[in-house]
């Protein structure tokens, strides 16, 4: 197997790949010790049935530039095929603000084609390629050099089997006319907003039991400082302080280093230096925040009068539709969407795009009393009223 370690070799390979209708792509990376993923390996394969068109690209090689790869990503005549692409795309967006175009994600396509929810690569290899995948190298340190033969074989298998999987799923989408469904889903993956974490919005990910605006204002300031610190130094946010320590600090509201030292859950390194100073500054900002600028939890669903019987009927309808169409239920509508529809909400994903065609239109008709559900044997059917 070939490993690319120079820009010239990468440019030559990408020029060859540009002559084909698609190329399969995967990455290996580390994120345990950094805020942003550290790219350690890129796997690429051109169409074929053997390993001759597959290579490993070593981004850790001295002096190598990934620009030829990014030029291939920008080439709209070549489909870039990934499986579960989100983390891979984040790496390339953070590094060069580039998205592969056009993109095909086999995990999304598999959900649309009836393979279940968030189906794994190994499952698709087994069901479509009728082969197995050796998982022994999955959790190795991909930043260490040299890579072992076992690591290389494992990594290469992530793109060689992917060719057959892509061709199978692309054909099935063409036969069923569902390619547009996949394209709608992929617009989220290729949106910059998906990969940008604004420090001022980081508080929304912190789980708290208190919804007081004053308390949430303190959480917002502490979460924003942590996010800014972690991004600037490329360290995991939990290495700064964990969520439970953040919530404790928002409750204690220490005003000096002595009071800060009494926090039980704060890491030792956070009790001094830049982190400690940042915490105290964030607490002061939270205390000084005016009522009009305090964050407030989303209460839009609190006043919903959810009819539980209607919500149950919507669940039955969803199950019937997904079994009929062979689509994963959670891909169409999570339970929260069903409750929202039963409570009168109409601005939910289940009522938009291809989801509306498959489920949403009949869901609204069910809510309006225009249709009913009946059972015949194991089948649930829609009845016009």
């Amino acid at each position: 197997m070939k490993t690319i370690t120079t820009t010239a070799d990468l440019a030559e390979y990408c020029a060859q790949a540009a002559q084909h209708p698609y190329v399969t792509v995967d990455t290996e990376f580390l994120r345990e010790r950094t805020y942003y993923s550290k790219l350690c390996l890129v796997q690429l394969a051109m169409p074929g049935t053997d390993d001759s068109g597959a290579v490993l690209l070593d981004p850790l090689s001295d002096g190598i530039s990934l620009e030829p790869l990014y030029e291939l990503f920008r080439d709209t005549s070549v489909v870039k095929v990934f499986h579960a692409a989100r983390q891979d795309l984040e790496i390339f967006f953070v590094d060069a603000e580039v998205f592969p175009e056009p993109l095909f994600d086999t995990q999304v396509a598999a959900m649309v084609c009836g393979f279940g929810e968030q189906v794994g690569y190994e499952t698709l290899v087994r069901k479509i390629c009728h082969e197995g995948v050796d998982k022994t190298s999955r959790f190795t340190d991909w930043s260490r050099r040299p890579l072992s033969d076992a690591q290389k074989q494992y990594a290469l298998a992530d793109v060689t089997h992917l060719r057959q999987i892509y061709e199978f799923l692309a054909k099935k989408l063409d036969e069923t006319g569902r390619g547009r469904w996949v394209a709608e889903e992929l617009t989220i993956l290729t949106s910059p907003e998906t990969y940008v974490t604004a420090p001022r919005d980081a508080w929304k990910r912190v789980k708290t039991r208190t919804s007081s605006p004053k308390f949430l204002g303190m959480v917002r300031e502490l979460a924003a400082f942590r996010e800014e610190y972690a991004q600037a130094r490329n360290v995991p946010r939990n290495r700064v302080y964990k969520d439970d320590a953040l919530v404790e600090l928002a409750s204690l509201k220490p005003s000096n280093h002595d009071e800060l030292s009494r926090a039980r859950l704060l890491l030792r390194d956070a009790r001094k230096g830049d982190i400690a100073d940042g915490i105290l500054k964030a607490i002061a900002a939270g205390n000084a925040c005016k009522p009009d600028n305090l964050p407030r939890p989303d209460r839009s669903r609190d006043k919903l009068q959810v009819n539980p019987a209607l919500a149950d009927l919507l669940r039955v309808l969803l199950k019937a539709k997904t079994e009929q169409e062979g689509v994963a239920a959670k891909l169409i509508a999570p339970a929260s969407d069903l409750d929202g529809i039963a409570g009168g909400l109409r601005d939910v994903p289940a009522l938009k795009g291809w989801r509306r065609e498959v489920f949403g239109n009949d869901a609204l008709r069910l809510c309006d009393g225009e249709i009913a559900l009946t059972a015949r044997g194991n089948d649930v059917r829609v009845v016009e009223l």
Side-chain angles (χ1 to χ4, degrees), residues 12 14 38 76 81 83 227 238 247 263 271 286 319 349 358 369 374:
E12 181 181 353
C14 290
K38 178 181 180 180
T76 57
V81 182
H83 180 83
E227 206 71 22
N238 283 344
V247 172
R271 299 172 185 269
K319 188 173 188 300
V358 175
T374 183

Side-chain angles (χ1 to χ4, degrees), residues 28-29 120-122 133-142 150-151 154 158:
E28 305 297 341
F29 55 87
Y121 180 68
E122 293 84 1
V133 176
D134 184 359
K135 304 177 184 179
T136 55
S137 296
R138 172 179 292 179
F139 299 111
T140 57
D141 184 349
W142 292 98
Q151 285 179 301
Y154 168 86
D158 281 346

